[in-house]
Amino acid sequence: MIKYRFGYAKYGEAKYVSHLDLIRLFSRSFKRAHIPLTYSEGFNPHPKLAIGLPLSVGVTSECECMDVEVDRELKKEDIDALNRSLPIGIHINGLCEKIPGTKKLSDIRFAEYRVTVVCDPVDPEKFSEFMSRPSVVVEKKTKRKTEECDILPDIHALSVCGITDDGLMLTMTLSAGPSANLKPDLVLTAMEKYIEGFNPKDYDIHRAKILSDAGLPLL
Amino acid sequence: MELSKILKEVQKPARYIGTEYNSVHKDLADVYIRFAFCFPDVYEVGMSHLGIKILYHLLNNEPDIYCERVFAPWTDMEEKMRAHNIPLFSLETRTCVSDFDVVGFTLQYEMSYSNIINMLDLSGIPALASDRGEDMPFVYAGGPCAYNPEPLSDVMDFFMIGESEEQIIEVMNAYRTWKKSGEPKIKFLESLLSIRGIYVPRFYDVSYNEDGTICEMVPNHPHAPTRVKKQIIRDMDACFYPETMIVPYMEIIHDRITLELFRGCIRGCRFCQAGMIYRPVRKRSPKRLLELAEKLIESTGYEEISMSSLSTSDYPELQELTEGLLDLTVQKKINLSLPSLRIDNFSLDLMQKVQKVRKSGLTFAPEAGSQRLRDVINKGVNEDDLIRSVSLAFAGGYSGVKLYFMIGLPTETDEDVKQIAHLAHKVVQAYRDTPKEKRNKGLRVTVSASSFVPKPFTPFQWAPQDDIETLRDKQHLIKDEIRDKAISYNYHEAKLSVLEGVFARGDRRLARVLLRAQKLGVRFDAWQECFQYDLWMEAFRQEGIDPNFYNHRERSYDEILPWDIIDPGVTKEFLMRENEKAKRGEVTNNCRKLCSGCGIKQFEEGDFCD
Ligand code: SF4
């Protein structure tokens, strides 16, 4: 049994594939590529496959990662075979065998997103003002109730990185991982509330980086 | 942009993307015929259907044909599509359905008809064939419900009757020739008249008697056959079967590889339409099936494979086949999923080996509670068989049993209905009679009662269907008779069965009701949460059509039936004979024991019935 970390991208239509569906998709793709996954023991064996950070439905990414246990050593040809066995929109773009102890999936702390927003022009200054507010309170839905909470501590960086014909592009670094996880949608909702004249009509979210607590990429 | 925006807002957006593994993507520049295969239900239902898997790959094997899939958008998606003026589109290339050459619907159950009208509406295609101009695609339908095409005959340009693997290629050849000719659309329909199994409704005129029954149904075109002979596949091993299947992103109802063992059924249950229209029995060889299984496992990566047929226990080489499949699935580390089998030592042993079946659920379908009624419907099961089987199962460690019954069967009395509950009690008793050290804890007996719907081309095609009230009384009768906590009981919505009965034996005049009902807002009738009976009744009222005419009266043998236009091979004389035997409570042998002369041997030349 050897543990590998795979890096992959999810784009195009595949962005609508949910987290649970993705796990099934991978285990079938490995089968098609003749890569023998290690299965857990027990009544209902399942492949040992862990996805680093779930990606919301509708979000694209170039930096996803998962840890997979395999019964034999992998070669470059295996990755080619795997890529041929994946549907359009999911592509393996990295592989590493020796995973350093400081880069466990549980060490994930931050994620960087690029958000393309369709909206009327807004003064970029206003976004810096937004970041220097004392607090950013939004309604957050949990399983049982809706509660007010301050999301500002989980927004580590936010800036306008481009202007498009019909709106603008933002980058934001947000808390991510097992302890705190902030979704870009919620940041947009907050900005709509606090930034005057900012009214997103549509947006696309793309995850650009996943980082550990040391600020390092996972792959 | 519009579409990507609404996909973010709907439930299960994976229903609407067409890039699944093994989906086919072609360069449109190389394509001459664009074919939209439409399933009038939501993605996860449609994708579970075997026919679509076969025809999709069959058509796409032709280099100049591109077959794409279309499903009914769920209600949330439809709402958004209408609000944003997005027409119904194909999954693969997101092309509007009205831009296709041929639009084909598969008719698996009557309660999907309103979705067909709605899908045409969403596509901007006029629902009535007579309203579609030269710029519109041809719209046709096939599948089991097409054996009574009449309720949809004003909607469809043509129907394919029977098994379409070979026929559809002939139709495509005719289409290619016609398209090159540049002639008007009617010429293509005329050219179809020489292909077996094609019914073109506009080439027939129907007149009615004063009492509403059909007076005459006659061809108005010199080449239109007086009866349309169904098409069948003669050699199952030589017949196309896909070596690859689309692997959906989302979980679908039957999310696994399906192997089709055989068509037809030797049993001859008198309520069963499939058992009549798919005659004669034709099977694939174990060799061919194992070869297909291996290829399909390789190409899909699926973790499960299943066998499909009308009655798997009747497959002659079941032992050889399952042994082969077991070896294969162990070697490939996947599961073999077993269909419900007749319970005997062989099948119990097999289930033991497969293990996957949890020792909870086994299903049995006695269909009727009393022996008298089981003889009427020719269900060759007796009480001793059933009790022996469940006892065997209980001793083998199974503790859950599901029993399927029908209520509303011809000649049924209250006593027959009560017997359903009594039979369930006997099953409970069989459990208690099983030695404690052998049986497992937690007995659960589930009784499920559906309502009988008389279907065309069955011996009961002349029978009246019970009305809603009667069905409800019977449902409650069972409930009141059940006196054991180990038994749980469920039944189907009677209104739905009654409406199904109307369309199952309906005629041309019902198209108006369908169109009206769609305008009033009916959709997804097969889904309890969507079914709107009152709207349907309103549609009947507005069109001045009495639904009871179609299902609650007994038809006489000399009445002309709307589906008489179709020749399924089984003769009317045979069906009458069977119906008379039913009334006398006489059983008919299964085809392997003794041929009862259903007519299929005269219909199809060759040595079919073994
Ligand atoms: S011809 Fe005889 S054996 Fe063949 S299907 Fe009909 S009844 Fe059965």
Side-chain angles (χ1 to χ4, degrees), chain A residues 13 16-17 21 24-25 28 31-32 34 43 57 71 84-88 118 201-204, chain B residues 1 4-5 7-8 13 17 19 21 94 247 249-251 255 298-303 332-333 358:
Chain A
E13 301 294 299
Y16 298 110
V17 178
D21 291 346
R24 210 173 38 239
L25 182 154
R28 288 172 182 166
K31 261 194 194 309
R32 294 191 287 256
H34 298 277
F43 181 72
V57 171
D71 284 345
R84 280 193 305 272
S85 304
L86 284 163
I88 306 164
V118 178
K201 293 184 198 96
D202 193 11
Y203 55 84
D204 280 311
Chain B
M1 197 62 179
S4 81
K5 188 178 152 115
L7 282 177
K8 275 179 228 151
I17 53 179
T19 56
Y21 195 74
R94 296 212 166 139
V247 187
Y249 291 117
M250 66 185 295
E251 219 168 328
D255 208 5
E298 279 288 303
S299 67
T300 62
Y302 259 126
E303 49 291 284
K332 305 272 182 185
K333 291 199 178 125
R358 286 224 197 90

Side-chain angles (χ1 to χ4, degrees), chain B residues 369-386:
Chain B
S370 68
Q371 191 57 46
R372 186 197 73 79
L373 197 52
R374 281 194 296 272
D375 289 346
V376 167
I377 62 176
N378 202 39
K379 184 82 197 180
V381 183
N382 62 44
E383 197 173 301
D384 290 348
D385 291 342
L386 179 74

Side-chain angles (χ1 to χ4, degrees), chain B residues 13-125:
Chain B
R15 283 169 172 162
Y16 312 106
I17 53 179
T19 56
E20 311 97 315
Y21 195 74
N22 288 333
S23 61
V24 178
H25 297 273
K26 291 192 178 187
D27 184 346
L28 292 180
D30 305 333
V31 171
Y32 192 62
I33 303 176
R34 298 195 64 184
F35 189 106
F37 192 108
C38 303
F39 195 101
D41 209 319
V42 78
Y43 177 90
E44 54 269 41
V45 175
M47 283 301 290
S48 301
H49 171 242
L50 181 59
I52 193 171
K53 298 179 208 264
I54 298 175
L55 294 180
Y56 181 78
H57 293 288
L58 173 82
L59 285 168
N60 280 322
N61 272 359
E62 303 283 308
D64 68 341
I65 300 176
Y66 190 10
C67 171
E68 302 183 47
R69 293 161 298 151
V70 181
F71 299 96
W74 189 246
T75 48
D76 63 336
M77 181 69 172
E78 179 189 341
E79 219 170 272
K80 295 224 152 52
M81 286 167 69
R82 288 192 187 274
H84 290 87
N85 280 318
I86 298 175
L88 185 63
F89 54 86
S90 63
L91 293 192
E92 281 79 358
T93 61
R94 296 212 166 139
T95 304
C96 173
V97 177
S98 64
D99 291 337
F100 281 80
D101 292 304
V102 180
V103 175
F105 283 92
T106 176
L107 312 179
Q108 297 296 317
Y109 28 89
E110 290 83 359
M111 297 325 284
S112 65
Y113 290 179
S114 64
N115 277 8
I116 295 178
I117 309 298
N118 197 39
M119 286 168 80
L120 290 172
D121 186 54
L122 273 168
S123 311
I125 299 176

Side-chain angles (χ1 to χ4, degrees), chain A residues 70-140:
Chain A
V70 183
D71 284 345
R72 63 166 168 83
E73 206 169 317
L74 298 186
K75 296 196 205 71
K76 175 153 186 319
E77 297 83 79
D78 289 311
I79 302 310
D80 296 340
L82 184 55
N83 271 329
R84 280 193 305 272
S85 304
L86 284 163
I88 306 164
I90 296 179
H91 187 82
I92 303 294
N93 57 12
L95 177 74
C96 89
E97 184 180 346
K98 305 258 162 357
I99 305 162
T102 53
K103 284 188 179 181
K104 295 197 292 290
L105 292 178
S106 55
D107 292 329
I108 293 174
R109 287 293 176 278
F110 312 103
E112 188 184 304
Y113 297 93
R114 210 166 47 234
V115 184
T116 315
V117 188
V118 178
C119 61
D120 297 330
V122 200
D123 178 7
E125 230 356 75
K126 292 200 172 160
F127 292 91
S128 340
E129 281 167 30
F130 172 77
M131 283 302 285
S132 44
R133 291 187 50 83
S135 68
V136 172
V137 177
V138 287
E139 282 194 342
K140 207 173 175 176

